[in-house]
Amino acid sequence: MVSFFLSYRFGGDNVVARLVDDALTARFGSDSVVRDDDSAAMSIAELRRRLSASAALIVVIEPPESAEAGGWPERVLDRPTVATALATPVPILAVLVDGAKLPRLVGAHRTLRPLPARRFWRVRTRTAPATVQRLIDQLAASLDSRQTDVLGDADAVPSPGWVNLDDALCQADHPVWYSNEGIGRPGALPTYTGPPTSSVPDTTPVSERLLVARAPAQVPAGRDLSVEVRLVREGRSVPVDAVTAQMRSFLVADAGTPVTVTVHAPAGLHADGPLQQTVLVMPDEDPDPIRFGFGARTPGLHRIDVTAWAGGTFLSEVSVEVSVADGGPFRDGQLHAAPLNAPQARPGEVTMEVRFDGSRYTFQLRSDAALFAPVVESITNPPTAAVENAIKELQQLAGGGSRYNATMTREVIRSAGIQLWSELVPADVRDQFWQVGADMSAFTIATDHDVVPWELLYPLSAQRDAGFLVEQVPVVRRTYGQRRNARVGLRNPRFVVPPKAPTGAHDEIATIRAILGAADSEPITRADELLALINAGAFEAIHFACHNTFSSDGSFIDMDGGRFKPALLAEASIRKLLAETGPLVFINACRSAGVAPTYTKMLGWAQQFMSSGAGAFVGTLWAVRSDSSARFATAFYRSLADGATLGAAALAARVEQQDDPLDPTWLAYTVYGDPFATAAV
C-alpha cells in the first residue's frame, strides 16, 4: 500500500494543509496518510523505517505571519517527521502556502522527480482547492506510471544524515556539510562536524588557480606548432607578458582532483595527437604542463579554444590565436589565463559541447560518470534551412494558424524534436546520453553556433521515451566566454517597455514587480537611456517586455530614439561592464535568442549580454503569444524568487506553461547561465 507522511502546523485555520490532508485521504485511503500527531508515539527507529518505506513526506509550510513567534524555518525543522526525514532517503515535497519560503535544509534534500523534480509546490489560498487537486492528480498519475521507480536522486544528499546548506545560509563560498543529529530537539541548530568521509571527498582550500595557455602568435605555413597548457597556483612565476585572472573557490581533494583539458582548433590546423588530456591536480603542487601539437596547413587567423572540466562541470576556458602565413616568420605569443571558477564537479551535471566550423560538427558529452571522446560529423548541407522550416511551423502553431487538434499538435511538435535528435545528434552521442541519463541532474548545451533549437530535443530509442529533454531535467545553455555565476542578480529590477509594446506588457511588468517586491518606477523607453544604463553597469536585473524584430541581418528592438541592436553592447562585452552585478537579463519578445552572422562569430542578444558579464539570460527562439509569454515569465520569476535554482525555475515555468496543448510556447524559451545558480535577493 502506498503511504505518505504529512507534516503541518496544527492549530489555527490551516486551510491548505487540511485540503491536502483531505485530498490525500480521499485518493489513497485513510490508512495511507501518517500525520505528525500519529507519528509522535513512534520511536526514532520506527519513524525512520516507516519514512524510508514511504512514497514521500509532504511538508506544508505556512507564511511567516501565520507562525508563532520564534521564526518559521526553525519550527519546520523542529517537527519530528521533518528532522528524521532529513536523515533518511525519503523524498520531500514542500507545499508552500502563499508567501512561505523553503527552508534550505528541506530544499537540499532529495525531491520527487515525477512532479517533475520540484523542490516545492506553491499554493495560493484563494485558488487552493484547484491547485491542491492538481497536485494530488499529478502525484497519483506519477505513482501509477512508475509504481516502484518514483524516486529521483537529482537533489539527493550525499549520504543519510548529511545535508548541504548553501552559502546563503552558512555564509561560505563553497558547500559546507552539517550533521542532522540533534535537529529535532527544540532550539537545536545544526552543528558543523566536517564533511562525511564516506560520500564526500575531503577537500583542502588552496590558493586560487589559473588555467594558462600559450601558443605562437605567427607560424609559417607547413610548420608544426605547440599549444602549452598549465594549471598553476596564483602567485607562481609566469612571464611578465602573461594575462592572468583568479581561479575562484576551486576545491582540490586531498587525494587530488582530476581535471580534463580539451582544445578545439579549426580545420586549418591539423592535430598531431589527442585533443583531450586529464591531469591530477594536487593541493600543494602544480601538475606538469600539457602539450597539444598541430600542423599549420592553411593560411589565415585561427582561434584555438582551451577548456577545463571536472566531470560534466565547466571550470574555465581561454582562447589563443595563431596567424599562419606563407613564408612568414615564427613569432611567440602571449600567455592567456582565466580563473577556474567552479568549486568542484556537480553530481549528475552533464554538458553537451557542440561546435561547428562550417563543414563539420564536433560533439562531446561530458559527465562525472564517464569521459567520452569527441565525435566529429561531417555534413553536406548546414542545418539552417531545416531549422527555419521547423521554427516556421512552430510559430504557426503558436499563432493559432494550424488546423490540428490537441493530439495532432503534440505529435507535430514531438516529431520535430525526434527528428532533431535523430538527424543532428550523432548515434555515438545518443548512446552516450543513455549511459549517463539515469543519474542526470542538469543538462547544459555549450555552443557558439546557436541556429539549432536544441531545447526541442526529444530523446527516443526503441526502449526509452521520457518526453522532451526539457521536461526531464533542467536544461540551460552556455556561450563560450561567459562566466559561471553562482548568484544571479534579481534585486532592484529595471524594466524596458518601448512605446510599441505588446498588449498586456504593462500588466506583465506589474505582476513581476509584485513577485519581486520591486519599487514602482517609470519603464525605460529610449534607446540612449538603455545604453547608458548598460554601460554604467547600474542594474541588478532587467526585464524587456517588447517586440524583437529578427531577420538574417540580425535583431533589433524599436525604441524611442532609434533601434537598439546587439552590436551596441560591444563596449560592455569587451569591458565586462555587467560582471560586478551579474544581472538576470530577460527579453520577453519574439525570437530574442536568435542570432545572425557577423565578421567572426554568431552575434545575438544572449551572446552579447553573457559576454558582458550577465549572470543569466532568458529569451525566445521563435515568435510567441503575448499571454503565454507573460505566464511563462511569471512562473519563472516566482520560482527563482522562491529559492529555486536557475535550471529548476526554467523547468517549473515550462511545466506550468503546458496548460494549452495547442500552444508550444513552453518550448520556445532558452536560458543561459549556470543551472545551479540561485538568485541574489
Side-chain angles (χ1 to χ4, degrees), residues 7 22 43 69 126 207 251 271 289 364 459 509 532 669:
S7 175
D22 292 342
S43 66
R126 65 180 183 276
S207 58
L251 302 183
Q364 185 161 17
I509 297 303
Y669 282 87

Side-chain angles (χ1 to χ4, degrees), residues 37 97 139 151 153 173 203 215 221 238 264 267 282 285 347 349 381 396 423 470 520 528 576 598 643:
D37 57 345
V97 181
L139 184 59
L151 302 185
D153 291 330
D173 290 330
T203 57
V238 294
H264 297 271
M282 301 300 294
E285 59 186 75
E349 182 176 11
N381 297 307
Q396 185 180 31
E423 292 188 2
V470 296
D520 195 13
D528 54 357
K576 312 298 180 187
T598 60

Side-chain angles (χ1 to χ4, degrees), residues 119-202:
R119 294 175 182 270
F120 57 85
W121 189 283
R122 174 72 61 186
V123 178
R124 306 291 175 182
T125 301
R126 65 180 183 276
T127 58
T131 307
V132 169
Q133 191 57 54
R134 190 164 71 249
L135 163 62
I136 302 303
D137 289 344
Q138 289 199 22
L139 184 59
S142 298
L143 293 173
D144 288 342
S145 62
R146 305 185 185 187
Q147 294 177 1
T148 58
D149 187 22
V150 300
L151 302 185
D153 291 330
D155 299 298
V157 297
S159 62
W162 297 91
V163 292
N164 180 314
L165 283 78
D166 69 13
D167 56 8
L169 187 63
C170 63
Q171 301 300 313
D173 290 330
H174 53 80
V176 178
W177 298 92
Y178 289 77
S179 171
N180 282 318
E181 205 168 312
I183 289 181
R185 296 193 301 270
L189 292 176
T191 303
Y192 177 69
T193 60
T197 57
S198 60
S199 299
V200 180
D202 290 330

Side-chain angles (χ1 to χ4, degrees), residues 1 14 94 130 136 164 203 210 368 380 422 453 477-478 532 534 545 572 630:
M1 180 183 70
N14 293 319
I136 302 303
N164 180 314
T203 57
L210 304 174
D368 60 333
T380 305
S422 61
R477 293 197 188 204
R478 74 170 309 275
I534 292 171

